[in-house]
Amino acid sequence: LLRERLDVRLPGEVEAPDDNFTVEIDPLQKSSLGRDLLEARRRHAEYGKWLDAAQFDGTLPPGALGASSLQGVVEEVGHLEASALGWGIDLTSATEERVGFDLPVDEWIGSTSTSHSLRLEGSIGGIVQREGQLLATDIRFARPKPSHRLALVVRLAALQYAQPDVPWTGVLLTRASSSESAKASTTEFGFRFRGDEAARREAALAVLRMAAQMAMWSFRDAVPFLGDTSRSLAERDIDGAYEAFEKVNDAWESLLWAGLSPREMLDTPITTVDPAVIVPYLPSEWVDEPDGIALDSRVAATAEWVWRTVNDAIEQIDSSGNPVADAEVPADDVADDSGEDNEE
């Protein structure tokens, strides 16, 4: 009666106020602040006004400690803006481009294929015009990831297929990789589709078909494409693949492939319902790796299929539009326990 009707209760413990305060921001807070500032700069916001607003939201260390934390964010966003200007990109000038077309694609279940015509339609942001050239840009306050490059390649493929007469260029700018020995301020990745008008359209079509086939595969099964792990496998970096796989901190991998060790996951062979298009991409050997991953690994075949399709379709360029000889893909960050920029 006292408790349920009259709501009479004994007093609970009174928590003592916490007299500690934050002296620095953690990586996740820094990423959030950096993304917020970058978006504010796209809207013509001044650094000073953004700093004033950020210091009053209650999450930063007090006084000079908070100002010091914010200064690091401001410097990194400034580096991104400087890199963008080097490519002729004004953050405030980006627009959207509308695309719409029918994509012919085969859906594979095992060795059986069914032809489809998929309608692809939507808007692609980050479009910048530079001296008569059209650029599809992605500028983000994040560490470089293979998923960032792959996403922009697919978006550029849609633009290139829809407008084959336009020599589209893709530009991805991110924070510097935390693993780079050189003290680079940003990571830059510029590219375009290879060849003349007809070749560009065919290259874009190959990328779009691969992406569509992956999407259709994902509707019926967990696609064994694992971001950093798959990129390392495509580069024949077995140690890097294991390191990336063991460091992944996302719950989706443990959910989709529960109970599998890294070795078991990477050694799982192609199944009878995996699309036959990945079979030609099985590795014939692992050079200098006597204890390499199984040659019939579905993870390895999928990685090779995706990244060889991309690498055959594009060429890397510098900010002047010149091909980069012996270009190396920028170093990527492998997710760690901090969870910073963990957005696969």
Side-chain angles (χ1 to χ4, degrees):
L1 173 66
L2 292 175
R3 184 174 63 252
E4 296 180 7
R5 295 289 183 88
L6 301 179
D7 198 26
V8 175
R9 302 172 186 274
L10 293 174
E13 293 185 12
V14 178
E15 294 186 7
D18 187 0
D19 57 0
N20 296 317
F21 61 85
T22 304
V23 296
E24 62 181 359
I25 58 176
D26 61 33
L28 284 176
Q29 285 178 302
K30 185 173 183 179
S31 294
S32 178
L33 288 166
R35 290 192 295 269
D36 183 67
L37 174 56
L38 190 58
E39 186 58 33
R41 293 293 292 163
R42 289 190 174 105
R43 300 192 304 268
H44 302 270
E46 297 177 3
Y47 279 110
K49 291 183 178 179
W50 180 86
L51 283 168
D52 291 341
Q55 286 180 309
F56 283 107
D57 74 351
T59 61
L60 293 174
L65 291 173
S68 176
S69 299
L70 287 176
Q71 191 56 41
V73 174
V74 169
E75 288 178 1
E76 287 203 65
V77 171
H79 292 321
L80 285 171
E81 285 197 78
S83 292
L85 289 175
W87 285 84
I89 299 168
D90 179 359
L91 291 182
T92 65
S93 65
T95 60
E96 291 186 346
E97 186 80 14
R98 186 79 181 173
V99 296
F101 52 85
D102 295 315
L103 177 71
V105 62
D106 293 331
E107 179 181 11
W108 289 85
I109 301 178
S111 58
T112 302
S113 66
T114 305
S115 296
H116 296 276
S117 179
L118 299 181
R119 181 66 183 173
L120 300 185
E121 193 166 352
S123 296
I124 298 175
I127 306 301
V128 175
Q129 191 165 21
R130 179 192 69 175
E131 299 177 355
Q133 292 182 313
L134 284 171
L135 281 62
T137 68
D138 185 357
I139 303 170
R140 58 174 67 204
F141 194 91
R143 303 294 185 189
K145 291 281 189 181
S147 57
H148 301 159
R149 295 196 298 277
L150 185 58
L152 186 56
V153 169
V154 173
R155 291 200 294 273
L156 194 74
L159 292 163
Q160 191 64 80
Y161 186 75
Q163 303 173 19
D165 57 319
V166 178
W168 281 92
T169 295
V171 179
L172 171 65
L173 305 177
T174 66
R175 303 170 69 189
S177 170
S178 59
S179 62
E180 288 179 339
S181 56
K183 297 299 182 182
S185 55
T186 59
T187 299
E188 303 180 1
F189 183 69
F191 65 94
R192 63 189 172 207
F193 286 96
R194 300 181 188 272
D196 58 15
E197 179 178 328
R200 290 196 301 266
R201 195 168 194 267
E202 284 301 310
L205 177 59
V207 170
L208 289 173
R209 280 176 169 164
M210 176 269 294
Q213 287 165 342
M214 281 189 70
M216 290 186 289
W217 186 5
S218 71
F219 293 151
R220 64 177 188 273
D221 195 5
V223 178
F225 185 69
L226 308 175
D228 297 291
T229 303
S230 292
R231 182 65 199 173
S232 295
L233 285 176
E235 296 174 348
R236 298 293 192 269
D237 180 6
I238 306 299
D239 291 338
Y242 276 116
E243 179 184 0
F245 191 83
E246 290 172 349
K247 284 188 176 181
V248 167
N249 200 28
D250 283 344
W252 60 265
E253 287 198 356
S254 59
L255 173 66
L256 296 176
W257 295 288
L260 289 181
S261 68
R263 181 76 198 203
E264 291 170 330
M265 176 63 207
L266 298 177
D267 278 347
T268 301
I270 290 179
T271 70
T272 57
V273 294
D274 287 342
V277 291
I278 70 172
V279 174
Y281 295 91
L282 283 169
S284 57
E285 61 178 344
W286 296 108
V287 179
D288 300 327
E289 291 286 350
D291 192 33
I293 295 166
L295 293 179
D296 60 350
S297 163
R298 66 198 297 254
V299 177
T302 304
E304 185 73 11
W305 170 49
V306 172
W307 287 111
R308 195 193 301 178
T309 300
V310 168
N311 293 337
D312 288 348
I314 67 171
E315 63 176 350
Q316 192 172 336
I317 60 174
D318 61 22
S319 58
S320 298
N322 300 315
V324 179
D326 301 321
E328 293 185 2
V329 174
D332 295 305
D333 265 28
V334 177
D336 58 26
D337 291 339
S338 73
E340 180 184 9
D341 305 320
N342 199 9
E343 333 173 327
E344 290 301 318

